Structure formats: C-alpha cells, structure tokens
Amino acid sequence: MNSSTWEKATCLLSLMVLMYLGGYATRWHNWYPNALLERASRQATALIKTWTPAPPNLHEQVYDRSGARTVRSDDVSPGLTLITSTWPTDDGWKAGLSLIDKNGATVHRWRFDRTRLFPDSVDRRGNPALKAVHGTHLFPNGDVLVNVEYVGTARLDACSRVEWRLPTGTHHAIAQADDGSFWIPGSSRSPQFGSRRYPSGFPGIEGKVWVDQLLNVSGKGVVINTLNVLDILFDNELAHYIIKAYKPRRTPGYRKGGGKDVTHLNDVEPLSASIADEYPLFNAGDLLVSLRYIDMVFVMDPQSRTVKWHTHTSLIQQHDPDFIGNGWIGVFNNNSDYSSRGSTLGGSQILAFQPHTDSTETRFPTSHSESFYTNTRGKWQHLSNGNILLTEANAGRVVEVTPKGRTVWEWVQAAHGEGEVPVVTKGTRYDLTRKDVFSWACSPTDSVPVASSPE
C-alpha cells in the first residue's frame, strides 16, 4: 500500500471514529437532532409493525348481506344517516364518515388519513392508523368533529380539511352542551400512581393506572375544564365499585404504557336546559357518565363534583347513556357474556331508568325483535317518531326498530374478504335533506385529502 492510499484509509477511518463518537455524544447528551431521530425511528418501527393492507378493527361477519334494506317504509323516521366506519378507496382503506339516504346511496362523505391527522401521536399512543374513529358530531354546515380513539379530536370542514386538532388522548363519545362547548371522554397522558387529590396513590389500587377524565372542550378545540374520574369516585364514596374491575371476568385492559384501565370511561353527556325540568333530581348542565369496566352509570354536578345518582342494576359493560325525556335515562347495555352472539344472556339491550321513581324498563329487545348483539362498542338513538336507531358495532350494522321492537330499516357494512366486516362505531339519524347537503361548500360525495391545519 503506497503512502497516498494509506493516508486516505487513515483519514476515512478517523472520520468514521469521529462520526461514531459524535453520534454517541449526541445520544448521550440528547443534543439536537437526537430527539427528532429517535421519534422518526419509533414512528418507522410502529408503522412497520402495524402496517396491514386490511382495515383495522375487523370482526367476524354475522350477516350475509350488505347495504340498505327497508322493511316498513312508512314507519322509517325521516332524515339522513351518518355512518362512522372504515371504507375502501383507491389508496387503501380510509377512516371516514358517510351520510346516506334510506336507500343506502351516499349523499356526502368525509375521508381522512388518521396518521397524517395526528402525525405526532404515532409513537406516543400507538399508530393512529389502527385506532377506531369513535365519537363524532355533525354541524349544520357540514363540519364534523371526529375522535381518533385515545389519540385526539379534530374538526374537519365539509371537504375533510382540518380546521383544528386536539391531540390529548380523547376517545369514545362527543356531546354538545347548551353553551356550544363539548364534553368528551379523555385519558391521562401516561399511567399514574395517583392524582393531586391523592398524591400518595389511589387508596386500594396498586401500581399505575390510566386515569379517565371528563374534558370540557370549547368550539375552537381548547380544553376548558378537566375532571378526574377516579377522584370523583373516591370523593363520593363509590370507589368500592372499582374492585369489580379486578374480578377474573373484569381483568383490566392494558394500554400502551403499561397502566391498568380500571374504569374505561366511554360517555359523558350534559343535561340540556330544554328538558331539565323533566328530571326532578337534576339540574341543567349535570353530567351523565358511563364507566364500562365497573358497570356503572351516574349523574353528577360538574361544579361541586357531587354524584347525585348512580346505578349498576342489570348493566354489563354498557355504553351510550342518554337523557331521553320525561325523567328517563336510556342506556345501551352490551350485556356481554362472551358466548356466541350473546346467547347466554339474550343479546344486547336498551335499558331505561327513571331515577326519581326508581323505575327500570327494558325498551329493547321485545318478543318481536330480531337477534341483536355487540359485546363491545354500540350506540343507540331515540328518534323523533319514537323509533330506536341501534348500532350493532361489531357486526357492522345499523338498524331502526319501532317502539315494539320490529325492524323497519337496516344498513350493513360490506364484508372485507371472506368472513370479516369492518366495525361500524356509530350510526346517527339527522334531520337533513339532499337540498340541505347541497348547500355545503363541497359537492356531494366529494373527498379532499387532509390539509395542514391553519396557524
């Protein structure tokens, strides 16, 4: 080896050693751009591990049909139905919402890429592309609020363009208050041993837990108030119900970060002033809350944080409690028994409670009802004509029934491949016509890629 070649080799080796030492020092001292490189590495790893050509949240196909089916046309409540699910597109499966008519024709749709919507959440809360869109709200002008489960909330316009985003781990339902703000279930940013109220840890709970929160969010996406669910339970002497989460059939869920999910908040709804007089025990603005893992629904004053009423009667992993008027609270009771199609306990139910009379009724099913069951998720809506709109989430089905439980209309999501169907997290009937939708900024069935949110 001549001297020139030796000098080049020595120079190259020296550069390699310096680069190694520089990289080591950057990582050790967390110098720029170490944080960016680490985040990119985690995001790439998460995407590689979780990428799939199929939509997330697939469940076993129950029905051998798809699309809309009208059974009793005269009995169907008017309006358009907003369906929340995942949908096939030219770029693969996309999360989104479709507004359909009675015949199943799409009148308008919103599509978006969950990872592009929340790019900073890929490594912190799992890949958004695998999270369900769970919780929506449609505005009169075609704007929508969407929750990407345990990632965040975003407001999109009628063209699916981002107006604002709130990456705070929000999830499940979205309910609007009289003042225009929203109540949305949230979660602590990381597992916790305790809270400011209980800094030494929650009494009787060992290890870290994900702390559910009731978030009051302004119409512009700003968190106005945060209420800690575990603090509320302990302060109102209801914490003994948490022990139910530790029974064998209630093994707590473990989410990213290793903490236990001991309450699993899935809904919070304010009592509207328009019907508050129909509820003698409550006041306008009181909150109706559902905790799935402890089979509990309660009503509380968000100012004093006092629980005014609670029940766990007949509830098994319930969802979606609603104030439905005349003093009644309706609840979607999953009635989970982990048998095939709920055969042991008879399937999912709509239970109604009237707190001031201590009365309970089963509104659905009846002797006229078809089989209906979803062991997780699930929604229901009390319609203006007295009918009930039910979301059989894991079967990918939305069905409308009369007060007597007879089916009048249904829509079933198309299967993916053989034997599987994408989850439908919500079906909601809106008092809208095609003419109303034509007035929105985007043409019907238009879909625009997610843009950057305005500064």
Side-chain angles (χ1 to χ4, degrees):
M1 181 181 295
N2 58 42
S3 60
S4 176
T5 302
W6 175 254
E7 288 174 358
K8 290 179 180 179
T10 303
C11 181
L12 179 61
L13 180 61
S14 299
L15 286 173
M16 292 174 63
V17 171
L18 288 174
M19 289 174 62
Y20 174 81
L21 293 175
Y24 184 85
T26 297
R27 183 174 179 83
W28 178 262
H29 295 288
N30 198 27
W31 292 336
Y32 180 86
N34 182 63
L36 294 177
L37 293 172
E38 286 193 342
R39 188 175 72 182
S41 175
R42 290 194 299 269
Q43 291 177 348
T45 299
L47 290 172
I48 291 170
K49 287 183 177 180
T50 57
W51 181 86
T52 171
N57 301 301
L58 289 172
H59 280 259
E60 182 179 355
Q61 185 178 6
V62 175
Y63 301 99
D64 60 358
R65 55 187 184 269
S66 64
R69 178 174 70 102
T70 299
V71 180
R72 300 167 181 262
S73 181
D74 292 342
D75 293 332
V76 176
S77 182
L80 303 176
T81 305
L82 187 67
I83 307 290
T84 307
S85 186
T86 50
W87 313 85
T89 72
D90 293 339
D91 297 325
W93 287 80
K94 298 290 186 182
L97 291 70
S98 289
L99 192 63
I100 66 170
D101 64 16
K102 185 171 69 172
N103 298 318
T106 300
V107 180
H108 196 86
R109 67 187 178 196
W110 299 256
R111 299 288 184 269
F112 47 90
D113 186 313
R114 285 159 288 187
T115 303
R116 291 178 64 190
L117 193 59
F118 293 103
D120 296 334
S121 299
V122 170
D123 57 328
R124 291 192 299 111
R125 294 185 178 273
N127 184 0
L130 298 186
K131 301 291 187 179
V133 177
H134 203 168
T136 60
H137 176 82
L138 175 62
F139 294 89
N141 68 346
D143 285 9
V144 291
L145 291 182
V146 295
N147 279 343
V148 177
E149 195 167 42
Y150 295 109
V151 176
T153 303
R155 179 166 178 162
L156 313 178
D157 69 9
C159 308
S160 301
R161 294 179 298 217
V162 179
E163 297 189 351
W164 54 256
R165 66 188 95 216
L166 180 65
T168 57
T170 45
H171 54 90
H172 286 84
I174 299 173
Q176 190 170 33
D178 289 338
D179 64 1
S181 67
F182 296 89
W183 284 96
I184 308 176
S187 177
S188 57
R189 291 183 176 274
S190 60
Q192 300 178 0
F193 283 110
S195 66
R196 291 182 181 179
R197 182 78 172 82
Y198 298 95
S200 299
F202 297 108
I205 299 180
E206 297 181 359
K208 292 183 178 181
V209 296
W210 288 96
V211 179
D212 281 320
Q213 301 167 337
L214 313 180
L215 300 181
N216 190 204
V217 178
S218 76
K220 295 184 178 180
V222 178
V223 177
I224 303 170
N225 192 14
T226 301
L227 303 177
N228 183 313
V229 169
L230 286 178
D231 285 354
I232 292 167
L233 293 177
F234 279 101
D235 290 350
N236 287 274
E237 299 182 353
L238 296 174
H240 57 282
Y241 288 104
I242 297 174
I243 197 65
K244 296 179 69 176
Y246 292 94
K247 290 183 178 180
R249 75 179 184 91
R250 290 290 191 279
T251 302
Y254 283 81
R255 303 211 304 272
K256 185 177 176 66
K260 302 173 184 176
D261 183 357
V262 297
T263 52
H264 199 85
L265 168 69
N266 58 34
D267 204 355
V268 51
E269 176 183 321
L271 176 59
S272 172
S274 64
I275 60 172
D277 289 345
E278 301 174 27
Y279 293 83
L281 301 183
F282 312 136
N283 298 312
D286 284 351
L287 301 178
L288 176 60
V289 179
S290 172
L291 303 179
R292 177 175 179 253
Y293 277 167
I294 61 174
D295 304 332
M296 179 187 288
V297 169
F298 65 82
V299 176
M300 63 166 289
D301 179 342
Q303 302 302 320
S304 67
R305 307 191 181 194
T306 300
V307 173
K308 298 181 175 181
W309 171 85
H310 72 278
T311 188
H312 59 91
T313 301
S314 302
L315 296 176
I316 302 180
Q317 300 194 0
Q318 78 292 329
H319 284 73
D320 196 18
D322 294 328
F323 292 109
I324 57 175
N326 197 27
W328 288 97
I329 292 171
V331 181
F332 188 107
N333 186 35
N334 290 83
N335 213 23
S336 304
D337 59 20
Y338 300 103
S339 64
S340 175
R341 296 289 296 160
S343 58
T344 300
L345 297 179
S348 301
Q349 306 169 309
I350 303 300
L351 300 180
F353 303 90
Q354 195 176 53
H356 69 279
T357 63
D358 198 26
S359 301
T360 304
E361 295 179 356
T362 299
R363 300 285 179 93
F364 178 87
T366 71
S367 59
H368 303 296
S369 301
E370 300 173 349
S371 172
F372 181 91
Y373 180 67
T374 180
N375 67 307
T376 60
R377 302 182 178 91
K379 291 282 187 179
W380 82 291
Q381 181 186 5
H382 189 256
L383 300 175
S384 58
N385 67 349
N387 286 357
I388 299 173
L389 190 70
L390 301 160
T391 303
E392 193 175 6
N394 292 346
R397 178 175 179 243
V398 178
V399 58
E400 181 180 348
V401 301
T402 66
K404 293 185 178 180
R406 297 183 186 276
T407 297
V408 298
W409 178 88
E410 73 164 10
W411 179 89
V412 181
Q413 177 65 293
H416 171 78
E418 294 185 6
E420 293 183 312
V421 65
V423 165
V424 173
T425 56
K426 188 179 182 182
T428 308
R429 183 72 46 80
Y430 285 91
D431 184 19
L432 291 169
T433 65
R434 284 180 172 269
K435 184 177 180 180
D436 296 325
V437 177
F438 285 145
S439 69
W440 296 346
C442 288
S443 61
T445 71
D446 200 3
S447 181
V448 178
V450 169
S452 298
S453 60
E455 295 300 330

